Amino acid sequence: MRHRPQGRRLSAALAATLLSMMMLAAFAAPASAATSATEAERMIIGWINRDRSAQGLVPLVRLYDLSVISGRRATRMAQRNVLSHTVAGSLASQINARNVSWYAYGENIGYTTATWSVEAAKSLYRMWKASSGHWRLIMSDDFNYIGVGLAYRSSNKRTFGSIVFTESPDRTGARATITSASRNGDDIRWAWTGADVRLQTHTAGLRDYDVQYRIGSGSWVLLYNNTTRTSLALADRIDGRRYGLRVRATDRRGNIGAWTAEIPIYIP
């Protein structure tokens, strides 16, 4: 299922045989499952991105909010034992409720009786790959974010799955990397670089960096805020101390990335 605000829809064929209505029964993952639902969901994203890369497409970025939505949708289908986009609720309303901006969205759903959890994940992905409608969404050249949810129904040993895709504005922080740290006597120097995480569409691009510095295990001091410089040299540092630096990057939409690990330089 794919949807744009103009109302154009593309219905993907279901990736499993339609279910007949059954009485509601309790569902839970087997206690002996060695791999958690979250790990199995990440495996599916890994397989999707492997196959996208093989086709020259950019990997989809896992978005926490979409993972929450897809997990709830899979759970609702498992609770009712019904494979249906509709029974899982309004996807647009759920995306909007999580404050995820979008230009388009889509969903793949399916169920399998394969053993929970890794074999079930493999089975679902094989079915989605074999369906032209589902494969079209997985190989989209518009979508840039993804969430995958799996839910197990113990009464009939069925695993229900949902993949939610969106084409959204860039929501991913840029990345910084400290590329060198050197000392020449009492003079020290660091250099860094950065890039915005590439998305299939709507990559904002790198804007600038924040740079923090500290001595030993002291408090971090902000040296530069929103700077475009990519190196720092400090002269005549005091001997017998450790000097640390960390950097983070921001993209042109204001998405701030994580701080790098501290890179220390010790002056003996």
Side-chain angles (χ1 to χ4, degrees), residues 2 45 49 52 58-63 66 100-106 137-147 164-172 197-204 253:
R2 180 190 178 98
I45 294 175
N49 285 335
R52 285 179 61 84
V58 179
L60 300 173
V61 175
R62 179 181 180 270
L63 190 62
L66 297 185
V100 177
S101 300
W102 54 272
Y103 305 107
Y105 65 83
L137 297 189
I138 290 171
M139 291 291 121
S140 166
D141 58 5
D142 295 320
F143 293 140
N144 48 16
Y145 288 101
I146 187 173
V164 175
F165 309 88
T166 64
E167 177 193 351
S168 295
D170 193 335
R171 298 169 55 95
T172 308
V197 176
R198 186 184 174 201
L199 304 174
Q200 180 65 44
T201 53
H202 309 292
T203 306
R253 280 186 56 85

Side-chain angles (χ1 to χ4, degrees), residues 22-259:
M22 297 181 67
M23 295 180 61
L24 182 67
F27 70 100
S32 60
T35 302
S36 69
T38 299
E39 291 170 321
E41 291 157 5
R42 289 181 181 273
M43 287 179 181
I44 291 175
I45 294 175
W47 300 330
I48 288 172
N49 285 335
R50 174 202 62 197
D51 291 341
R52 285 179 61 84
S53 295
Q55 296 298 318
L57 296 169
V58 179
L60 300 173
V61 175
R62 179 181 180 270
L63 190 62
Y64 172 77
D65 293 295
L66 297 185
S67 298
V68 171
I69 292 168
S70 58
R72 290 174 178 172
R73 292 177 68 80
T75 297
R76 185 171 296 183
M77 289 187 287
Q79 287 173 330
R80 300 189 181 184
N81 198 27
V82 175
L83 184 66
S84 165
H85 295 286
T86 303
V87 78
S90 168
L91 181 52
S93 297
Q94 293 162 4
I95 294 172
N96 292 336
R98 301 290 302 189
N99 295 317
V100 177
S101 300
W102 54 272
Y103 305 107
Y105 65 83
E107 181 185 36
N108 284 348
I109 60 174
Y111 85 83
T112 180
T113 56
T115 304
W116 176 267
S117 59
V118 175
E119 291 306 314
K122 289 179 180 178
S123 174
L124 284 168
Y125 190 58
R126 283 194 296 266
M127 288 191 288
W128 285 322
K129 279 191 73 169
S131 163
S132 61
H134 291 87
W135 188 242
R136 190 157 55 248
L137 297 189
I138 290 171
M139 291 291 121
S140 166
D141 58 5
D142 295 320
F143 293 140
N144 48 16
Y145 288 101
I146 187 173
V148 175
L150 299 175
Y152 182 74
R153 181 181 174 93
S154 61
S155 64
N156 53 12
K157 298 181 180 179
R158 285 174 172 166
T159 298
F160 288 78
S162 165
I163 308 177
V164 175
F165 309 88
T166 64
E167 177 193 351
S168 295
D170 193 335
R171 298 169 55 95
T172 308
R175 292 176 180 168
T177 303
I178 297 177
T179 56
S180 67
S182 59
R183 178 179 67 86
N184 183 11
D186 293 340
D187 301 336
I188 54 179
R189 184 182 185 278
W190 294 269
W192 58 87
T193 189
D196 198 14
V197 176
R198 186 184 174 201
L199 304 174
Q200 180 65 44
T201 53
H202 309 292
T203 306
L206 180 69
R207 190 185 74 190
D208 51 39
Y209 303 96
D210 299 328
V211 181
Q212 289 187 339
Y213 163 84
R214 71 176 177 177
I215 301 173
S217 58
S219 299
W220 286 104
V221 176
L222 182 65
L223 293 184
Y224 300 109
N225 184 40
N226 300 336
T227 184
T228 57
R229 66 185 300 161
T230 57
S231 65
L232 171 68
L234 299 173
D236 301 324
R237 299 295 97 181
I238 298 173
D239 295 350
R241 293 188 180 182
R242 182 175 62 88
Y243 300 88
L245 195 87
R246 65 180 184 178
V247 182
R248 68 182 181 184
T250 302
D251 72 15
R252 293 193 181 105
R253 280 186 56 85
N255 298 306
I256 302 172
W259 289 106

